[in-house]
Amino acid sequence: MSDAQKPIYGGQAVMEGVMFGGKRSLVTAIRRKDQTIEYFHSKRKSSPFLTKLKKIPFLRGIAAIIEASANGTMHLNFSSERYDLDPSEDATLAEKKESRLSLVLGVATLGVLSFLFGKVLFTLIPVFLAQLTRPIFSSDLSQILIEGLFKLILLLVYIYVISQTPLIKRVFQYHGAEHKVINAYENQLPLTVENVQKSSRLHYRCGSSFILFTVIVGVFVYMLVPLDPLWLRIVDRLLLIPVVLGIAFEVLQLTNKVRDIPILRFLGYPGLWLQLLTTKEPSDDQVEVAIASFNELLRIESEDIQTEDKIV
């Protein structure tokens, strides 16, 4: 299969495991307390409205973020409920659960709202910090650059601080395992622990790169709108969040497309550098879970294709 025909897979780290997503399905594999591997499957679903948006440049990024936040949170919820629970205690989960529909809708909505709330905070806090430097850096250009600098510092400090906690450190290790599996697959290597461990823990399509690109893109976008008075600056930043996200998504896609071109590949390096913080080298056991998750996704996607062929 040529590179153009090969499906594009993505994923994310969860508690003691990895989620991978394909064209039709999403699969999470986690390591349970008794060292067994458990899977969670779901179909990739999107509203007709989001499906249309995903075909429009600069809008497709917003649709992808909403869909990924909703789907990813459901799988993260699955892992967080079970990763430190002995399988013999699973019956207690059933007693606490609401109806399946209300649970899925509630968790999906929470994921989207959490992302938006976090984005608003990381957008507005640097505005107020930059405003405090007005007596020293009074020009609009210097204010925009200072605001971007504060945003970058805030992002790096936040990631560094949470990475020091044992729980998040393990999540970042699974994040590294996820990237290693994708890189091994895209390089057409057999998915063995040895091959995957030799692969890079960095990847051009990573969401960490996307977050950094929102900072860089924001600096250029904010040059097009007024900074005074302060209330207008705040309103502009809030209204421009979708614009910045949409452009940053296109930049992320561009850097991935040109990553094999010697000169242009450097465009994606800032995002890769940030991944040195958001990924850690995984253990063999963690890589084993990531491989199991990806192989399960490939199996399900293959069965779906065969079923479609039979129906046709």
Side-chain angles (χ1 to χ4, degrees), residues 162-176:
I162 65 172
S163 70
Q164 299 309 298
T165 64
L167 182 62
I168 299 302
K169 182 178 179 180
R170 288 193 64 81
V171 171
F172 284 0
Q173 286 179 297
Y174 277 107
H175 190 192

Side-chain angles (χ1 to χ4, degrees), residues 63-310:
I65 292 168
I66 293 174
E67 186 178 86
S69 298
N71 289 323
T73 304
M74 286 190 291
H75 285 253
L76 183 60
N77 183 66
F78 162 80
S79 68
S80 62
E81 284 183 337
R82 289 168 171 78
Y83 81 96
D84 63 346
L85 190 68
D86 192 275
S88 63
E89 301 175 281
D90 283 358
T92 61
L93 293 174
E95 297 173 0
K96 299 177 182 178
K97 280 190 177 296
E98 309 170 39
S99 71
R100 183 66 178 169
L101 178 60
S102 62
L103 176 68
V104 169
L105 291 178
V107 171
T109 301
L110 178 62
V112 175
L113 292 178
S114 297
F115 173 82
L116 293 176
F117 179 71
K119 181 57 183 172
V120 168
L121 281 182
F122 273 88
T123 298
L124 294 186
I125 291 177
V127 170
F128 291 111
L129 292 176
Q131 187 68 22
L132 294 176
T133 69
R134 267 290 192 185
I136 304 174
F137 303 100
S138 57
S139 71
D140 286 355
L141 178 59
S142 62
Q143 274 292 293
I144 292 172
L145 294 177
I146 290 295
E147 181 182 333
L149 178 62
F150 277 130
K151 190 176 294 185
L152 179 60
I153 292 173
L154 186 63
L155 175 63
L156 295 178
V157 169
Y158 172 75
I159 292 175
Y160 176 77
V161 170
I162 65 172
S163 70
Q164 299 309 298
T165 64
L167 182 62
I168 299 302
K169 182 178 179 180
R170 288 193 64 81
V171 171
F172 284 0
Q173 286 179 297
Y174 277 107
H175 190 192
E178 174 228 324
H179 284 182
K180 283 173 175 281
V181 168
I182 292 294
N183 280 322
Y185 171 78
E186 291 181 345
N187 289 323
Q188 300 181 1
L189 298 174
L191 295 182
T192 63
V193 172
E194 182 181 5
N195 285 338
V196 171
Q197 284 286 35
K198 290 179 181 178
S199 300
S200 173
R201 76 176 202 258
L202 311 179
H203 197 285
Y204 275 79
R205 288 199 310 272
C206 178
S208 301
S209 298
F210 169 72
I211 293 173
L212 183 62
F213 287 143
T214 64
V215 176
I216 298 173
V217 167
V219 169
F220 293 97
V221 171
Y222 299 155
M223 291 180 181
L224 305 177
V225 295
L227 272 67
D228 293 313
L230 178 60
W231 68 265
L232 180 59
R233 184 175 182 177
I234 293 172
V235 171
D236 284 339
R237 298 302 183 266
L238 293 176
L239 293 179
L240 287 171
I241 286 178
V243 177
V244 171
L245 292 177
I247 297 175
F249 183 83
E250 299 301 325
V251 172
L252 179 69
Q253 299 301 308
L254 174 64
T255 59
N256 183 61
K257 290 179 180 178
V258 301
R259 63 180 178 173
D260 294 324
I261 301 176
I263 297 178
L264 298 181
R265 67 185 306 174
F266 293 105
L267 293 174
Y269 275 28
L272 297 181
W273 293 334
L274 182 61
Q275 290 174 45
L276 294 174
L277 286 179
T278 62
T279 65
K280 303 292 183 185
E281 286 293 335
S283 65
D284 288 351
D285 286 348
Q286 291 170 318
V287 167
E288 183 183 37
V289 174
I291 293 173
S293 178
F294 191 71
N295 282 336
E296 181 70 2
L297 175 65
L298 294 180
R299 183 188 68 80
I300 292 175
E301 295 260 291
S302 177
E303 289 181 354
D304 288 342
I305 293 174
Q306 291 176 11
T307 301
E308 288 181 1
D309 290 342
K310 290 180 181 178

